[in-house]
Amino acid sequence: AYANQYVDGRIVYDGSCNAYTILSSSRSSLGVSILLHSFDGGHSWAAYKIPGSAGGAVVPSIEVPMAQHTLKQTQPPAILLIDAYNNLPLKMVVPIKNADKTLSFSNVFTVAEKSVAISPAGGGETFIASNGGDNLHIVYSKKAVMRDEISGHVGVPQYAVTLSRTTGAIVSG
């Protein structure tokens, strides 16, 4: 797989050296994207359908660590579900590591009512990162071109929000 604005090609490791990556396959005959999980350093992989990822316009994006090479927590990375074209709600789902080394998923949380993966007017990408605790920091664009009230410049608005990994509740933003 290759990485571009519609494919997340990263492999992310949690604090227990479990590996995670996304197979962005919602536009394929599978009709849903897949989270791949390895608990043995990449020797074997288990595949899980990502809830809320059905439909050709849904682009999953995996949480990335900030300022270190692995996530500090021992739980799996959260996943953003971004609508690539239709200005629909930005959603998030959190995988949960079970005692038997399998994964289950939280409910799908709404992060923002309207967002896009890549703004058609050149705005930045939607992105999720963590500092290792319960907080997830998310930056996203809206599918709109607006005039800034202060500078008068025209551009695409970007927003930042911090959510709780466990509840999906907004902490700040």
Side-chain angles (χ1 to χ4, degrees):
Y2 61 95
N4 68 18
Q5 70 254 30
Y6 301 118
V7 178
D8 193 337
R10 297 174 285 209
I11 297 175
V12 176
Y13 293 87
D14 69 16
S16 299
C17 292
N18 284 234
Y20 306 88
T21 191
I22 292 176
L23 175 61
S24 186
S25 53
S26 62
R27 297 180 76 181
S28 74
S29 60
L30 291 174
V32 65
S33 289
I34 306 294
L35 175 66
L36 297 174
H37 168 234
S38 174
F39 64 86
D40 59 7
H43 294 284
S44 63
W45 294 84
Y48 300 89
K49 292 180 181 179
I50 300 172
S53 69
V58 176
V59 178
S61 180
I62 198 165
E63 172 188 352
V64 296
M66 292 174 23
Q68 67 266 359
H69 299 292
T70 62
L71 297 170
K72 289 181 182 177
Q73 76 270 5
T74 57
Q75 285 299 314
I79 300 168
L80 284 180
L81 303 170
I82 310 156
D83 186 271
Y85 312 110
N86 302 311
N87 208 23
L88 295 175
L90 172 62
K91 299 193 180 270
M92 178 182 78
V93 65
V94 180
I96 300 162
K97 195 185 310 179
N98 302 315
D100 64 357
K101 300 182 182 176
T102 62
L103 300 180
S104 56
F105 289 89
S106 70
N107 292 328
V108 178
F109 304 118
T110 298
V111 175
E113 288 304 317
K114 294 183 178 184
S115 74
V116 291
I118 301 292
S119 169
E125 291 187 45
T126 299
F127 188 76
I128 183 172
S130 74
N131 59 5
D134 187 55
N135 291 344
L136 296 167
H137 310 290
I138 301 167
V139 176
Y140 63 97
S141 299
K142 287 199 174 179
K143 188 176 181 178
V145 176
M146 301 174 74
R147 182 172 304 281
D148 181 66
E149 295 175 11
I150 298 169
S151 69
H153 295 290
V154 175
V156 176
Q158 293 230 244
Y159 301 89
V161 65
T162 300
L163 295 180
S164 164
R165 172 190 306 279
T166 53
T167 67
I170 294 175
V171 177
S172 68

